[in-house]
Amino acid sequence: MKTLKSFSVAVLALIIGLSSCKEDKKEELNPDKMVKLKFAIMDGNNQMALGDDVKLTTGFDFKLQLLRMYVSDITLTEDDGTLHLVKGVDILSPVKNDDNTTTLNVPYGNYTSIKIGYGVDAEQNLSDPTSFSQNHPLSNYQSMYWPMINYRFVKLEGQSTQTSTSTDYLVSIHPGKDALYQIREYDFSSDLEVNSSSTQELLIQFDINDIFDGSAGVIDFSKEDANQVHMVGALDDLIGERFMINLADATKLEVVQPAQ
């Protein structure tokens, strides 16, 4: 009886061991790579930093003093059409080198495009900010939640001077609301190959002038109260939507090799 029991234990251990080996092999066949996705605001060929001054094509001198924004539902398309959600949501500042990057957990494979949401999606926008840990992107500690509209997708603030009149304007643009959520898809010029030896990083660049004078129209700080947008009326909704469309359309994707 003792021999039979010992035999049963040995067989069970063997089965568990084989199962573990299978799991290990499965993980080896489907490993992930951490890929960096960086964001930058560009004035022509120059990357902007917080506090920089820029001459806008709209006729204003502008000093950027704050820029924080959400990106969400970042999805890669594999060459066989398989979609991989590689980042649910993150918050970052494209003008701060220590806060302009999100890390994507990407399965090994060849990819043809990447899709990025600017803002938070409708489901995320219903989240309770007090239910998250302090460092979570949707946490109340990020100071991006306002009960009147839920999450503010972007906070852009600065000082501007209209060059033709020397009139100063404080700028505070805080768009939100589900209808303003923007999704853009970027095709890679050639397949993005992700494997154990790949080192490339992804870079999204925003053209500062296209944000204020872009595909959806001009944001003129001297008109329509466009220098103060807090989503509390129809005009704010109009300017907020214009801003978010311009912001998303002001982007371009580059695949870059980090400096060695």
Side-chain angles (χ1 to χ4, degrees):
M1 192 71 176
K2 184 182 293 186
T3 302
L4 180 60
K5 184 176 181 181
S6 299
F7 177 76
S8 300
V9 170
V11 170
L12 180 60
L14 178 61
I15 292 173
I16 293 173
L18 289 173
S19 298
S20 298
C21 289
K22 287 182 180 179
E23 280 299 314
D24 290 343
K25 288 180 180 179
K26 183 178 179 182
E27 289 177 5
E28 289 172 6
L29 291 172
N30 297 280
D32 290 347
K33 178 83 172 184
M34 305 304 285
V35 177
K36 291 182 178 180
L37 172 60
K38 295 184 176 181
F39 296 82
I41 303 291
M42 306 298 295
D43 176 20
N45 294 322
N46 300 315
Q47 182 174 339
M48 293 186 63
L50 206 62
D52 280 355
D53 295 297
V54 59
K55 289 188 176 295
L56 298 176
T57 56
T58 54
F60 291 85
D61 294 333
F62 180 65
K63 179 186 287 290
L64 185 59
Q65 297 175 316
L66 174 69
L67 179 58
R68 300 191 78 208
M69 60 182 295
Y70 280 112
V71 291
S72 62
D73 295 337
I74 301 175
T75 304
L76 282 164
T77 302
E78 208 167 349
D79 55 5
D80 64 358
T82 303
L83 301 178
H84 296 274
L85 178 65
V86 291
K87 178 69 72 172
V89 64
D90 209 348
I91 187 169
L92 45 84
S93 175
V95 288
K96 297 177 68 176
N97 284 330
D98 62 348
D99 192 29
N100 67 348
T101 302
T102 187
T103 303
L104 312 178
N105 196 30
V106 181
Y108 286 3
N110 294 323
Y111 296 91
T112 59
S113 67
I114 185 170
K115 189 181 296 184
I116 301 173
Y118 295 100
V120 297
D121 65 31
E123 182 177 354
Q124 292 165 342
N125 206 19
L126 291 175
S127 300
D128 176 3
T130 65
S131 68
F132 299 102
S133 61
Q134 184 171 337
N135 293 327
H136 192 281
L138 298 177
S139 166
N140 214 32
Y141 287 91
Q142 302 294 350
S143 298
M144 295 292 281
Y145 188 85
W146 189 31
M148 288 187 67
I149 64 168
N150 295 352
Y151 286 95
R152 289 169 281 202
F153 295 172
V154 178
K155 276 187 177 181
L156 181 144
E157 297 175 5
Q159 295 179 327
S160 66
T161 302
Q162 190 172 29
T163 54
S164 62
T165 65
S166 297
T167 305
D168 295 331
Y169 296 90
L170 289 176
V171 177
S172 179
I173 300 178
H174 298 172
K177 296 187 178 181
D178 292 343
L180 274 61
Y181 183 58
Q182 302 293 316
I183 300 173
R184 296 294 182 271
E185 186 167 12
Y186 309 88
D187 293 329
F188 298 118
S189 56
S190 59
D191 282 5
L192 178 73
E193 185 176 356
V194 177
N195 53 46
S196 60
S197 60
S198 58
T199 59
Q200 66 269 32
E201 298 176 353
L202 306 179
L203 172 64
I204 292 289
Q205 296 178 323
F206 300 83
D207 186 302
I208 186 69
N209 278 295
D210 287 346
I211 293 175
F212 296 108
D213 185 6
S215 57
V218 175
I219 297 175
D220 185 336
F221 302 141
S222 68
K223 300 176 181 178
E224 304 176 305
D225 291 328
N227 63 311
Q228 296 290 319
V229 178
H230 301 285
M231 312 307 296
V232 293
L235 189 55
D236 272 14
D237 288 354
L238 176 68
I239 302 301
E241 181 180 32
R242 188 183 304 168
F243 176 86
M244 288 301 301
I245 293 172
N246 282 355
L247 179 80
D249 285 346
T251 55
K252 68 176 182 179
L253 169 73
E254 286 189 14
V255 180
V256 297
Q257 292 290 345
Q260 299 298 320

